[in-house]
Amino acid sequence: MNQATHLTGLDAAELSALVESFGEPAYRGRQLFGALFKRRLRSFEEMSDLPKNFRAALAERATASTLTVESRYISEDGTRRYLLKTHDGLPVETVFIPEERRDTICFSSQSGCPLQCSFCLTAKLGLLRTLTAGEIVEQIVIALNDAYGTGTKTPRGTNLVAMGAGEPFLAFDSLMKALRIMADPNGLHIVPNRVTVSTAGIVPRILELARVPDRPHLAISLAAPTDEQRDVLMPINRKWPLAELLAACKEFEVSLKPGERFTFEYVMLDGVNDSDEHARQLANLLNRHQLRAKVNLIPHNPADPLPYLPTPLAQVERFKGILEAKGVHAYVRRPRGRDIYAACGQLAARRPVNNLNPQILHQLTG
Ligand code: SAH
């Protein structure tokens, strides 16, 4: 199977070329594209409108699915977390977050992560492997099928965030190809405008993204207002310190549409980066660069081996107030799925927390 072409990693033109190489007419390629991405079928057996001999030929050289669902957890708030496994046995995690107007799927770009952010559990795994475009797309297919059933239209549309395991800007080619495949109106039809990519601050890729015509939204994980502290919390800062990062943001701004802002994420660690003074330093830093940005404050999601506690909500609100008083747009992000370890920075926990109500824990074995 390792050598088989993974079909969810092919765009419409590549799929047509593959089908034609089998001696099939071009419209079969369009049919196959619809089966994979509009109906989200994950096996050739289900594609009963395709001729048997064509399906047999496909099965010999290609595969529609390479990820297996190891387990699924459902949170009290409806968030669903999937532990998936690649064909070579590596862990991948995907989170489905139901929301009133539109659901959000948080996907992984790498198995594990090479960046050593001190507050993130995925960092403990190290980098196992960067995912392929097909593996990125398949995560979305799996989550949508589980939420809405195979073959159905998604009732409310879907937002995507590249905020699962991994650093998406170190998976740039896979990511951009996956976005192109998912945007196709004959398939999933999730356009880049519905996608937010979060980076720890890979400067050259921020500049590259700015030049992509139909690009996703950008979020940057900041976590500290000074180099001294960011060097410790996010060691990638030693390679691209704040001055370089914010200069890249300034260049990125040129690509913003009227009224659009990009996002800084600021994880709030109790007694570490959450004082009034930190808030003033952060506001001054952003104001000094006059950035068209907003700040999302994310209370730390604790996970056993991580040495931090979440900032109490009253201080989060106070921090937000200080930013706002200095003209910085700030929002507090509500944690979702903490009880099943699905929240930011909790992925890679082997199992959910012990005190989980067994009635809300549905475990599917893959
Ligand atoms: N590597 C990318 C995307 C993954 S992290 C990045 O760094 O942006 C997605 C977000 O979760 C980041 O903003 C990160 O700062 C935040 N995060 C990581 N660990 C966290 C934790 N334990 N609690 C709360 N947020 C966390």
Side-chain angles (χ1 to χ4, degrees):
M1 192 186 76
N2 297 6
Q3 301 306 318
T5 305
H6 187 192
L7 298 182
T8 60
L10 302 186
D11 61 25
E14 289 168 333
L15 214 52
S16 290
L18 179 80
V19 163
E20 281 172 45
S21 79
F22 288 15
E24 294 280 342
Y27 73 88
R28 288 262 179 258
R30 291 194 289 277
Q31 249 181 323
L32 183 58
F33 192 85
L36 290 166
F37 301 117
K38 200 154 202 126
R39 296 159 66 205
R40 303 191 301 264
L41 304 179
R42 300 187 65 232
S43 74
F44 300 129
E45 293 88 82
E46 293 169 288
M47 303 179 187
S48 48
D49 56 329
L50 298 176
K52 257 206 157 97
N53 56 354
F54 175 44
R55 283 188 278 156
L58 276 174
E60 263 176 38
R61 280 188 269 172
T63 174
S65 55
T66 64
L67 297 176
T68 49
V69 181
E70 292 273 293
S71 35
R72 176 185 72 161
Y73 304 98
I74 303 185
S75 161
E76 283 169 317
D77 67 15
T79 300
R80 294 169 180 224
R81 171 185 177 215
Y82 305 93
L83 303 192
L84 311 175
K85 201 172 236 182
T86 62
H87 67 85
D88 48 347
L90 303 177
V92 174
E93 307 195 31
T94 311
V95 180
F96 178 88
I97 306 154
E99 275 160 324
E100 265 162 44
R101 289 184 46 218
R102 223 166 234 280
D103 302 316
T104 299
I105 297 172
C106 174
F107 64 91
S108 297
S109 53
Q110 298 181 309
S111 179
C113 184
L115 306 183
Q116 291 293 315
C117 302
S118 67
F119 47 83
C120 181
L121 197 55
T122 307
K124 307 289 175 216
L125 287 177
L127 176 65
L128 300 169
R129 165 163 81 68
T130 290
L131 299 181
T132 63
E135 287 166 336
I136 291 176
V137 175
E138 212 184 316
Q139 292 175 62
I140 283 75
V141 168
I142 287 171
L144 288 175
N145 283 353
D146 186 54
Y148 296 117
T150 305
T152 59
K153 225 174 136 19
T154 65
R156 286 174 290 186
T158 312
N159 289 329
L160 300 182
V161 293
M163 297 186 188
E167 166 50 49
F169 278 178
L170 297 178
F172 199 77
D173 295 344
S174 299
L175 176 76
M176 294 321 265
K177 180 154 193 209
L179 293 185
R180 203 170 69 238
I181 294 167
M182 292 192 286
D184 196 313
N186 297 316
L188 289 166
H189 199 186
I190 301 172
V191 295
N193 193 35
R194 290 273 165 220
V195 183
T196 300
V197 176
S198 177
T199 179
I202 311 295
V203 162
R205 296 304 199 189
I206 294 173
L207 300 174
E208 194 170 342
L209 187 72
R211 292 193 298 269
V212 172
D214 204 5
R215 60 159 179 77
H217 300 283
L218 176 68
I220 295 172
S221 302
L222 212 51
T226 61
D227 280 321
E228 193 189 1
Q229 183 166 52
R230 199 166 184 268
D231 278 351
V232 177
L233 299 180
M234 301 182 68
I236 191 73
N237 193 67
R238 294 179 210 152
K239 184 155 180 148
W240 289 292
L242 285 169
E244 283 184 43
L245 180 60
L246 297 182
C249 291
K250 203 72 209 153
E251 284 195 42
F252 182 81
E253 256 185 8
V254 177
S255 74
L256 293 178
K257 300 197 183 80
E260 187 189 353
R261 293 177 184 278
F262 68 96
T263 306
F264 286 113
E265 295 151 287
Y266 193 94
V267 55
M268 298 202 65
L269 311 168
D270 186 28
V272 176
N273 64 353
D274 62 351
S275 69
D276 294 0
E277 179 59 16
H278 287 111
R280 285 189 289 271
Q281 286 175 331
L282 177 59
N284 292 343
L285 181 73
L286 302 187
N287 285 337
R288 202 156 55 236
H289 290 79
Q290 295 195 321
L291 293 165
R292 264 170 62 194
K294 62 177 181 195
V295 176
N296 277 349
L297 300 172
I298 314 175
H300 176 64
N301 296 305
D304 204 3
L306 301 176
Y308 305 107
L309 289 172
T311 299
L313 220 55
Q315 179 57 23
V316 176
E317 287 296 336
R318 206 182 140 83
F319 196 97
K320 174 176 180 250
I322 294 170
L323 294 180
E324 283 175 336
K326 287 179 168 282
V328 174
H329 297 247
Y331 304 85
V332 177
R333 272 246 303 254
R334 198 160 48 108
R336 298 290 302 264
R338 256 190 194 171
D339 56 345
I340 55 164
Y341 265 36
C344 297
Q346 291 186 310
L347 300 184
R350 288 296 87 207
R351 27 190 176 80
V353 284
N354 302 328
N355 60 0
L356 189 69
N357 176 352
Q359 283 177 336
I360 56 147
L361 171 71
H362 302 250
Q363 194 168 343
L364 283 185
T365 42

